[in-house]
Amino acid sequence: INVNTVSALSSIQTRLNFVSVGVEQGLSQSCVQDMEQDHIGFMWIGTKNGLNRYDGSSFTVYKHNADPASIQFNDVTAVAEYTDGNMLIGFNTGSLNKYIRDNDNFIPISSDIFEENPVYDIYVDNLVCILVATKKGLYQGYSNGENFCLFTIDSAAQDGRPLHINKIVTGMNQN
């Protein structure tokens, strides 16, 4: 880097604008448990009282109701986007739903796989592998909701306590 490049870089100013949105603007509840921005730009916000989709100006709120195509539960703890553009929703009950964007509805993709362990985080890779972080540990499955299995780590199991996982973090090693 030469002096001219440093001078040019230091003169660049980044302007960030933050907008606060909450219950007054239509958010279903003020306790946000997870957020995900999809490939279109919508912000998906999981709360204790429903799933919220924010388009930058208004909210669409999804809550459980008598319709079998509605979201299965209201206590949304995790949100992730599939490679096909649909959304995967995790609940405090240990269940998962898939949001089908074209039909604007939800389908359950698991029932008792996680043995009533809250879903804390979801990661979907480019190969349709799903990782689900729960109170009991880390599960791996596939986008069809089948073949979920619990990862066990011997050192964690030695004291008899389950491996409690709150967050899945991914990245690349640059070394």
Side-chain angles (χ1 to χ4, degrees):
I1 292 182
N2 64 34
V3 174
N4 291 335
T5 304
V6 172
S7 176
L9 288 174
S10 66
S11 68
I12 296 174
Q13 294 182 0
T14 303
R15 180 173 220 156
L16 299 176
N17 293 317
F18 292 95
V19 176
S20 178
V21 293
V23 176
E24 298 79 22
Q25 290 76 29
L27 185 66
S28 65
Q29 205 253 353
S30 61
C31 182
V32 173
Q33 301 188 109
D34 198 23
M35 294 188 335
E36 173 87 8
Q37 185 172 18
D38 68 17
H39 72 282
I40 296 172
F42 291 132
M43 291 298 300
W44 294 84
I45 304 167
T47 72
K48 289 181 177 281
N49 193 25
L51 177 67
N52 302 258
R53 184 182 68 200
Y54 184 64
D55 64 8
S57 61
S58 64
F59 286 96
T60 301
V61 178
Y62 298 95
K63 290 186 179 181
H64 177 70
N65 59 45
D67 182 350
S70 74
I71 196 167
Q72 198 173 10
F73 300 99
N74 288 333
D75 195 351
V76 177
T77 53
V79 183
E81 185 175 17
Y82 272 112
T83 54
D84 66 4
N86 292 312
M87 303 301 292
L88 186 60
I89 314 302
F91 302 98
N92 194 38
T93 59
S95 298
L96 295 175
N97 279 184
K98 185 174 184 179
Y99 171 76
I100 307 300
R101 191 181 301 271
D102 290 341
N103 300 333
D104 194 34
N105 70 351
F106 297 84
I107 57 171
I109 67 163
S110 71
S111 54
D112 60 355
I113 294 171
F114 309 115
E115 302 171 12
E116 297 183 6
N117 284 297
V119 172
Y120 294 131
D121 198 14
I122 304 168
Y123 172 75
V124 181
D125 73 9
N126 292 332
L127 303 173
V128 297
C129 173
I130 300 171
L131 296 177
V132 179
T134 73
K135 184 176 182 179
K136 187 175 180 180
L138 184 67
Y139 287 82
Q140 178 185 17
Y142 299 95
S143 64
N144 60 4
E146 296 178 5
N147 302 320
F148 275 94
C149 63
L150 177 64
F151 280 107
T152 57
I153 299 175
D154 292 336
S155 63
Q158 287 177 358
D159 63 7
R161 294 183 298 165
L163 183 63
H164 186 122
I165 298 180
N166 288 327
K167 194 74 178 161
I168 301 168
V169 180
T170 62
M172 295 178 62
N173 185 351
Q174 299 294 322
N175 296 330

